Amino acid sequence: MNEVILAKNGEIALKGLNRGTFEDVLMKNIRWRLKDCGAFSVTKSQSTITVRPKDEDADLDEACQRMGRIFGIAAYSRALVTEKDMEVIRREAVSYFRQSLESARTFKVNAKRSDKAFPYKSPDIQQLLGETLLDAYPHLKVDVHHPEVSVNVEIRDQNAFLHGNQLPGAGGMPVSTSGEALLLISGGIDSPVAGWMMARRGVKLSAIHFQSPPYTSDRALDKVETLLSKVSGYAGDIQFYCVPFTRLQEALRDHCPEELFTILMRRLMVKIAVRVAEAHELPALITGESLGQVASQTMLALAATNAAADRPVFRPLIGMDKSDIVRIARQIDTFETSILPYEDCCTIFTPRRPKIRPSLEAVEAAEARFDFAPLLEEAIAGIQVKTIHVRQG
Ligand code: ATP
Ligand code: MG
């Protein structure tokens, strides 16, 4: 059977003159994501990208699965390629749609004819094919508004394509079309979701994690890597920076007012993240903060954190309820990992009464009580780097 995958662009279609570039990045991303499921050709015409197996060994099932996680694709479907001959189309449609039509009650035929030289117009194709399918499956009824099965026929330049209901794509924009940013990832529920959301807006991700052994365990670090590998299923390879943070946290505990501990810690994280971002030309940071979720995420606390950054800090969850965040975490399969109960560096030395409205002056004054610079340099020098490779399937 000669089958292909047809993918429709999402928002790329709105990009006017840049559209070609966006489509090229999307095609490159598709090629890269399918490279180990066999040989495929990836081509575009009009607003459709066609993924065509080059030989028998190409794994179309696996390719189909992966297409659902590639940002920039609004919808896609598996399609049968046939000759542009009405008799052949009728015959092929009867067998190609057998399984879905036998178990359905209603259907509808949609026809699209981009090759205007084809002797039948779209309404004629719909009518002829509709009759053929009603003859072959007499239990069916036509429902033009809410059909259980859509039978789609597209008459293009070289071939005709038959496909059923479209599958929803991951939406958004192709990864890398919006630049790169550094995700501050903890082991919690929020930050992986924040990374996924920005990747969906076309951002290529790098990630940074602050670790405080022996207060935090190796298993906590494994958890973060598992979370990143799940996000990579959508976002592609992720460069991962792991920062030894213990000495800085101990210095904070020993030298700064307890009620400001979390906010001062967050500023140290941001300062280190900025240094990494600078070194690797990453113009923005991403966090999983959400307004009012905890004491360090009030408006003034966020302002104090921002003051430590010299570049935009993207907080895609800022206006979301926890329940909405959890829903996405389940959808992208990070939730079960996030709730594993390992200590995070944020949960050690947590202040009993954190300050909810810290003024920037008070924060800076508290920070000035100790010279953090040498420990900050030591932490940066101790950063470990690795690549989290895209997780397929
Ligand atoms: P999350 O699910 O992201 O942990 P949270 O509600 O636990 O969210 P906080 O612990 O207050 O949030 O952290 C807020 C944000 O700060 C996180 O979303 C993350 O971006 C960053 N962050 C917190 N801890 C770390 C860490 N150990 N390493 C890197 N980034 C961190
Ligand atoms: Mg956390």
Side-chain angles (χ1 to χ4, degrees):
M1 203 165 23
N2 182 6
E3 281 186 294
V4 298
I5 301 169
L6 299 178
K8 306 279 179 203
N9 299 335
E11 276 182 53
I12 299 181
L14 305 174
K15 296 292 168 213
L17 287 178
N18 286 332
R19 182 171 155 171
T21 323
F22 278 77
E23 285 174 339
D24 290 346
V25 176
L26 177 55
M27 293 204 298
K28 192 172 138 211
N29 291 355
I30 294 174
R31 281 189 198 106
W32 189 75
R33 293 295 294 280
L34 301 187
K35 67 177 191 288
D36 59 346
C37 12
F40 288 92
S41 76
V42 180
T43 53
K44 65 173 171 183
S45 79
Q46 284 119 19
S47 59
T48 303
I49 290 177
T50 306
V51 177
R52 199 181 290 268
K54 286 188 180 161
D55 55 41
E56 296 279 290
D57 296 333
D59 186 346
L60 201 65
D61 291 334
E62 179 64 27
C64 246
Q65 289 250 322
R66 293 187 190 182
M67 291 290 280
R69 293 183 175 188
I70 299 177
F71 291 129
I73 297 174
Y76 66 106
S77 51
R78 207 169 157 139
L80 181 73
V81 187
T82 77
E83 266 175 62
K84 288 186 351 185
D85 175 309
M86 206 51 217
E87 276 318 302
V88 177
I89 291 171
R90 290 165 79 158
R91 194 176 61 235
E92 295 278 11
V94 169
S95 61
Y96 190 59
F97 294 106
R98 166 155 298 147
Q99 209 179 4
S100 51
L101 290 179
E102 275 179 346
S103 55
R105 280 163 303 178
T106 59
F107 80 112
K108 176 192 179 185
V109 179
N110 302 303
K112 223 164 85 186
R113 184 183 63 140
S114 53
D115 170 16
K116 300 297 175 200
F118 190 69
Y120 299 88
K121 292 191 173 144
S122 300
D124 306 334
I125 302 172
Q126 285 168 195
Q127 194 183 346
L128 286 169
L129 190 54
E131 281 168 12
T132 306
L133 294 173
L134 284 169
D135 283 347
Y137 305 103
H139 70 284
L140 284 177
K141 287 202 167 32
V142 175
D143 180 343
V144 290
H145 299 297
H146 304 288
E148 280 172 51
V149 176
S150 293
V151 169
N152 301 287
V153 193
E154 294 188 32
I155 311 289
R156 296 176 163 261
D157 291 345
Q158 307 294 331
N159 294 102
F161 296 86
L162 292 173
H163 61 91
N165 295 342
Q166 288 197 329
L167 302 166
M173 315 221 290
V175 168
S176 291
T177 55
S178 298
E180 294 189 40
L182 182 60
L183 169 68
L184 281 77
I185 185 162
S186 67
I189 296 168
D190 303 327
S191 38
V193 172
W196 178 85
M197 285 177 71
M198 295 314 295
R200 196 167 63 151
R201 295 312 300 162
V203 175
K204 181 162 174 51
L205 301 179
S206 294
I208 187 166
H209 175 69
F210 299 86
Q211 192 204 12
S212 300
Y215 304 104
T216 61
S217 66
D218 282 349
R219 287 195 303 178
L221 180 60
D222 290 345
K223 175 180 167 181
V224 171
E225 292 189 13
T226 305
L227 288 170
L228 280 176
S229 105
K230 293 194 175 212
V231 174
S232 79
Y234 296 87
D237 288 356
I238 298 172
Q239 201 67 2
F240 177 45
Y241 304 92
C242 190
V243 187
F245 203 50
T246 316
R247 300 243 293 157
L248 278 164
Q249 278 197 301
E250 287 173 341
L252 272 177
R253 177 197 58 193
D254 296 342
H255 301 282
C256 294
E258 187 190 301
E259 78 251 28
L260 289 176
F261 179 86
T262 310
I263 188 77
L264 292 174
M265 178 182 71
R266 196 74 74 221
R267 279 168 59 91
L268 285 174
M269 285 183 178
V270 164
K271 284 181 187 175
I272 293 173
V274 160
R275 288 279 296 274
V276 171
E278 210 166 51
H280 301 280
E281 296 179 33
L282 308 166
L285 307 181
I286 302 168
T287 74
E289 289 158 317
S290 167
L291 191 62
Q293 200 186 74
V294 287
S296 60
Q297 297 176 29
T298 63
M299 208 180 283
L300 285 180
L302 292 174
T305 312
N306 265 12
D310 69 347
R311 57 200 66 213
V313 182
F314 294 139
R315 299 182 171 93
L317 312 185
I318 196 72
M320 287 172 70
D321 284 358
K322 193 76 181 188
S323 56
D324 298 329
I325 301 169
V326 165
R327 191 173 37 75
I328 299 180
R330 287 188 192 279
Q331 180 198 328
I332 64 173
D333 190 35
T334 52
F335 183 75
E336 297 299 330
T337 307
S338 289
I339 59 174
L340 294 173
Y342 307 131
E343 288 285 294
D344 176 67
C345 76
C346 294
T347 46
I348 53 177
F349 317 136
T350 312
R352 278 157 296 186
R353 259 182 243 94
K355 206 157 185 74
I356 292 173
R357 289 188 199 81
S359 72
L360 186 55
E361 296 74 47
V363 168
E364 285 175 345
E367 223 169 47
R369 287 197 202 170
F370 182 78
D371 180 12
F372 288 99
L375 288 180
L376 206 117
E377 294 307 325
E378 185 186 293
I380 290 171
I383 291 178
Q384 305 234 350
V385 194
K386 74 194 262 188
T387 305
I388 307 292
H389 288 287
V390 63
R391 173 174 169 139
Q392 311 282 16

